[in-house]
């Protein structure tokens, strides 16, 4: 453990004591942590909190990603996945195609199916209800985590329904959880620059509140390393923390390092390893009420994700297999990781691998051997 004298020499003694006593950090504390020149000292503080929450357990999930379409009306500049309808590279899966993707992997012990797409101009809510119900029928034991808050708002607009009614209908069809995407950074300034047509931050938070009130848990993300300031990152974290105080519905926070390839963000560069590790550590320290921090290996790269387990992260996400959003933006990570690889990465980093489902419920070893 790094002695308090080190934090004293860094001007972080007060923050050190707050963390040791489990007291909430304010935005100024967060800023000072970001400015800390001693990466290892910052990581050790976050690691202390991570050990308090989870000990040496590090989670992973055996999951399947399905993107039903990349056709999107929003045109976000940071997104290399999106296409206009009819544009080369655009795709749209039917319900039967999605079911086929699920069927192809029925022999694998998948516990979570993660389904997202663009904001498609025509696909109706009925299609998504049929999609969930059809998957439920052939894979009743699997948990369905689908549709970002941005997609929920889009479905509501197309149908002339409230977002609450959309959530209720999807929940009745089998939706159990919302993924954390679409949050980007809530700053209106950044959203005007990068995604002016997308649901705004308040809308994203409102839909998450509604979901949580209906018993639908969710994750939350932050896309970082593009045009946002450190203050804007911290305000994003604070907004999530305040909503979590109200609802308790966020299960996991996922800091997503921006992948600049094939995007339209000017002068874009991928955040450095130091920035990514600092962001993960500060997230762990600021989000004192969200239990899990994910080191998403797809965007971080497997090597940095492994190191991130010492900087506050307690989850590596999962096997994934068919990821498009990060890889179309130049992510150089593998297409998929086997359970064995995930477990070895976790063990090598000095932690105990534990398989979870999307709610972070631990799976008994017997369920893991199939
Ligand atoms: O919302 C888009 C981001 C998100 C880029 O909930 C980009 O368990 C980096 O939310 N560089 C989708 N990121 C991914 C996502 C996610 C992934 C894994 C697990 C979970 C979960 C959620 O990807 C989007 C957007 O913020 N994104 N473009 C890019 N160029």
């Amino acid at each position: 453990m790094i002695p308090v004298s080190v934090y004293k020499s860094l001007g972080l003694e007060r923050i050190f004591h707050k963390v040791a006593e489990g007291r909430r950090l304010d935005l100024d504390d967060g800023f000072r942590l970001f400015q800390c020149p001693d990466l290892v000292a910052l990581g050790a503080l976050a690691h202390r909190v991570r050990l308090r929450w989870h000990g040496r357990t590090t989670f992973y999930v055996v999951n399947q990603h399905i993107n039903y379409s990349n056709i999107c009306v929003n045109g976000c500049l940071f997104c290399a996945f999106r296409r206009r309808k009819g544009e080369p590279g655009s795709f749209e899966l039917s319900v039967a195609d999605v079911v086929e993707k699920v069927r192809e992997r029925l022999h694998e012990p998948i516990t979570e199916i993660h389904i997202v797409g663009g904001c498609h101009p025509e696909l109706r809510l009925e299609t998504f209800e049929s999609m969930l119900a059809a998957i439920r029928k052939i894979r009743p034991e699997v948990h369905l985590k689908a549709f970002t808050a941005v997609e929920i708002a889009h479905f509501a607009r197309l149908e002339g329904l409230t977002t609450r009614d959309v959530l209720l209908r999807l929940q009745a069809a089998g939706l159990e959880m919302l993924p954390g995407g679409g949050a980007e950074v809530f700053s209106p300034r950044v959203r005007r620059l990068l995604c002016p047509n997308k649901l705004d931050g308040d809308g994203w938070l409102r839909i998450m509140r509604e979901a949580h009130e209906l018993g639908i848990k969710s994750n939350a993300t932050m896309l970082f390393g593009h045009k946002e300031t450190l203050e804007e990152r911290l305000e994003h974290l604070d907004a999530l923390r305040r909503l979590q105080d109200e609802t308790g519905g966020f299960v996991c926070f996922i800091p997503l390092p921006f992948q600049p390839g094939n995007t339209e963000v000017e002068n874009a560069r991928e955040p450095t390893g130091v920035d990514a590790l600092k962001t993960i550590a500060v997230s762990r320290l600021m989000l004192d009420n969200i239990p899990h921090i994910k080191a998403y290996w797809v965007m971080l790269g497997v090597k940095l994700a492994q190191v991130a387990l010492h900087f506050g992260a307690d989850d590596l996400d999962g096997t994934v297999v068919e990821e498009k959003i990060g890889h179309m933006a130049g992510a150089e990570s593998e297409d998929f990781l086997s359970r064995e690889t995930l477990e070895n990465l976790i063990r090598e980093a000095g932690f105990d691998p534990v398989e979870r489902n999307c709610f972070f419920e631990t799976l008994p070893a017997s369920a893991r051997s199939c």
Side-chain angles (χ1 to χ4, degrees):
M1 200 191 301
I2 294 181
V4 65
S5 56
V6 171
Y7 294 94
K8 197 169 179 182
S9 70
L10 291 164
L12 297 176
E13 191 186 3
R14 198 180 49 83
I15 295 178
F16 173 88
H17 287 300
K18 273 176 133 177
V19 171
E21 291 156 22
R23 284 190 284 136
R24 177 159 286 192
L25 302 184
D26 59 30
L27 295 193
D28 185 54
D29 295 332
F31 191 74
R32 287 153 58 87
L33 289 168
F34 264 123
Q35 301 289 5
C36 171
D38 187 334
L39 178 66
V40 172
L42 169 61
L45 264 192
H47 193 56
R48 191 182 172 119
V49 175
R50 169 277 195 239
L51 288 176
R52 202 152 62 204
W53 275 97
H54 308 294
R56 302 211 74 81
T57 296
T58 292
F59 298 93
Y60 70 92
V61 60
V62 179
N63 62 354
Q64 176 172 18
H65 277 218
I66 301 178
N67 297 125
Y68 59 83
S69 175
N70 64 347
I71 297 171
C72 187
V73 296
N74 284 340
C76 304
L77 300 191
F78 56 76
C79 180
F81 170 70
R82 67 178 160 95
R83 295 287 183 278
R84 297 273 165 201
K85 198 169 167 68
E87 197 180 328
S90 62
F91 70 88
E92 183 179 323
L93 303 186
S94 64
V95 171
D97 295 333
V98 170
V99 167
E100 187 48 35
K101 283 195 176 291
V102 174
R103 216 182 275 287
E104 277 166 12
R105 299 187 55 201
L106 274 181
H107 57 287
E108 295 176 36
I110 289 164
T111 62
E112 167 196 284
I113 300 185
H114 173 138
I115 306 169
V116 290
C119 289
H120 191 288
E122 286 139 25
L123 288 178
R124 305 305 301 254
L125 187 56
E126 259 186 355
T127 306
F128 299 110
E129 291 175 302
S130 311
M131 192 183 288
L132 296 177
I135 299 173
R136 241 308 128 269
K137 208 163 168 189
I138 59 168
R139 230 175 163 174
E141 79 293 354
V142 96
H143 293 296
L144 296 176
K145 182 179 79 178
F147 313 124
T148 66
V150 175
E151 287 165 277
I152 299 294
H154 177 72
F155 301 159
R157 206 167 34 241
L158 280 186
E159 300 294 331
L161 289 173
T162 64
T163 46
R164 189 172 182 279
D165 284 339
V166 168
L167 287 166
L168 278 168
R169 278 184 47 183
L170 292 172
Q171 189 178 31
L175 177 76
E176 294 176 272
M177 185 165 178
L178 297 185
E184 323 314 352
V185 283
F186 298 137
S187 155
R189 181 192 73 85
V190 175
R191 283 181 116 79
R192 266 195 305 278
L193 284 176
L194 297 186
C195 49
N197 304 319
K198 182 170 234 164
L199 175 73
D200 65 14
D202 286 344
W204 190 95
L205 290 161
R206 178 183 58 73
I207 291 167
M208 285 303 184
R209 181 183 291 108
E210 285 175 352
H212 297 170
E213 283 167 0
L214 294 172
I216 303 171
K217 298 271 185 197
S218 77
N219 290 336
T221 55
M222 174 174 74
L223 180 66
F224 71 93
H226 38 84
K227 298 289 178 195
E228 85 291 356
T229 62
L230 294 180
E231 287 87 347
E232 285 164 334
R233 286 188 203 177
L234 288 161
E235 283 158 11
H236 184 98
L237 296 176
D238 188 48
L240 293 174
R241 187 168 70 175
R242 279 185 277 125
L243 181 55
Q244 181 75 342
D245 277 342
E246 271 180 59
T247 68
F250 289 121
V251 178
C252 179
F253 175 70
I254 311 152
L256 295 168
F258 173 54
Q259 309 294 302
N262 308 314
T263 72
E264 291 177 39
V265 179
E266 281 174 25
N267 304 319
R269 268 189 280 138
E270 195 177 344
T272 62
V274 169
D275 189 16
L277 291 176
K278 279 189 169 182
T279 304
I280 289 165
V282 172
S283 301
R284 176 62 290 168
L285 290 162
M286 295 298 291
L287 296 175
D288 52 22
N289 54 4
I290 298 187
H292 300 284
I293 305 287
K294 181 178 300 193
Y296 186 42
W297 60 264
V298 170
M299 307 282 190
L300 282 170
V302 172
K303 293 176 185 175
L304 197 58
Q306 193 186 29
V307 176
L309 300 179
H310 287 275
F311 283 76
D314 61 277
D315 180 60
L316 274 190
D317 197 78
T319 46
V320 177
V321 179
E322 205 185 353
E323 197 282 337
K324 291 195 167 70
I325 298 174
H327 285 104
M328 285 172 84
E332 287 174 0
S333 53
E334 291 70 354
D335 286 336
F336 98 105
L337 296 180
S338 67
R339 177 211 298 271
E340 195 188 5
T341 304
L342 284 164
E343 292 203 346
N344 286 340
L345 287 166
I346 293 168
R347 273 201 203 94
E348 195 200 21
F351 297 95
D352 305 322
V354 170
E355 188 184 348
R356 61 163 177 90
N357 65 16
C358 64
F359 306 115
F360 279 78
E361 292 162 345
T362 299
L363 297 188
S366 56
R368 287 183 240 153
S369 56
C370 50

